Amino acid sequence: MSRSHPSIHPVDLAAAPSTAAPGEENIYPPMRLRMKDIQGMPGTCMSLVLRAFQFLFAAISLSVMASTSDFPSVTAFRYLVAAVSLQTLWSLSLGIVDIYALLVKRCLRNSIIVALFTMGDGITSTLTFAAACASAGITVLISNDFNSCAQNHCTRFETATAMAFMSWFVVSPSFFLNFWSLASR
C-alpha cells in the first residue's frame, strides 16, 4: 500500500500552507481529509457483528431445512439450501477476514478488496432473497392452499424460510455500506 494511514502520519491543518493571497481569508480547506472508517465497513467491529449474524441466521436456516426428510422433493427448497450454504461460507470467510483485520489493526479500505466484498455481498444477498421468496411461496402453497401440513414439515419450512429472510436482512447493510464506500472514492 502506498498510502499512509492517518494514525501513522497525522494531518496537521494548522501547519498546511495557505492557498489564499496575503491578507485574504482562506475559505477552502487546505487538504482533503480521508473519510473515517464508519462502523459496518470492512475491518470494523460492527462489520464483524453483521457477519456473525449473517452466518448465524444462514446456518440455522440450512440446518433446519436439511433436517427435514422431504426438502429435496421441492426445487425451491433445494435452491434455499444451496443459497444459504453459499451465504454461510461467504459470511464465515469474511468474518475471518474481519477478525484478522481487527487483530492486526489493518484498514480494509483498498478499492479492490471493497469491490470484491461489494460484489460478493450483492450476489449472495440476491440469491438468498430469491430463494427465501421462492420457499415462502411454496410454504404458503402447502399450508394454506393444499392444507397438507399434517403430512409435511410446515413449521420447519417456515422457520428455515424466516431465517433466510433474516440472513438477507442482515447482509443488506453490509452490501450498502461497502457499495457506499466504493462509490465515495
Side-chain angles (χ1 to χ4, degrees):
M1 256 197 210
S2 62
R3 297 182 204 158
S4 64
H5 196 273
S7 64
I8 297 171
H9 300 283
V11 177
D12 185 14
L13 293 177
S18 176
T19 57
E24 290 183 13
E25 183 180 332
N26 190 6
I27 60 171
Y28 299 106
M31 290 186 205
R32 181 177 175 196
L33 298 176
R34 289 202 287 164
M35 185 172 63
K36 292 182 181 179
D37 285 337
I38 296 175
Q39 287 300 317
M41 290 183 170
T44 61
C45 292
M46 187 54 76
S47 175
L48 181 61
V49 169
L50 286 171
R51 297 292 175 196
F53 278 114
Q54 291 166 20
F55 175 76
L56 179 72
F57 289 135
I60 290 171
S61 176
L62 176 65
S63 62
V64 168
M65 188 59 81
S67 69
T68 63
S69 59
D70 55 348
F71 88 88
S73 63
V74 180
T75 306
F77 294 154
R78 283 188 276 165
Y79 178 45
L80 180 71
V81 168
V84 296
S85 297
L86 181 65
Q87 181 67 48
T88 302
L89 292 174
W90 179 254
S91 298
L92 179 65
S93 61
L94 290 188
I96 291 170
V97 170
D98 279 338
I99 289 172
Y100 171 76
L102 288 171
L103 288 177
V104 298
K105 295 179 180 28
R106 180 80 184 238
C107 180
L108 294 178
R109 301 277 317 270
N110 186 348
S111 62
I112 296 172
I113 293 174
V114 174
L116 178 71
F117 284 11
T118 303
M119 287 188 294
D121 282 341
I123 290 168
T124 57
S125 68
T126 302
L127 290 174
T128 303
F129 183 68
C133 288
S135 297
I138 296 298
T139 303
V140 168
L141 179 73
I142 291 171
S143 65
N144 293 346
D145 298 339
F146 291 157
N147 291 326
S148 61
C149 276
Q151 56 265 35
N152 287 313
H153 304 284
C154 285
T155 307
R156 289 185 182 179
F157 294 153
E158 291 168 354
T159 303
T161 303
M163 292 297 116
F165 274 118
M166 292 298 294
S167 178
W168 168 77
F169 184 72
V170 177
V171 81
S172 295
S174 297
F175 170 71
F176 287 122
L177 285 169
N178 288 334
F179 187 71
W180 178 49
S181 173
L182 189 63
S184 66
R185 292 195 173 266

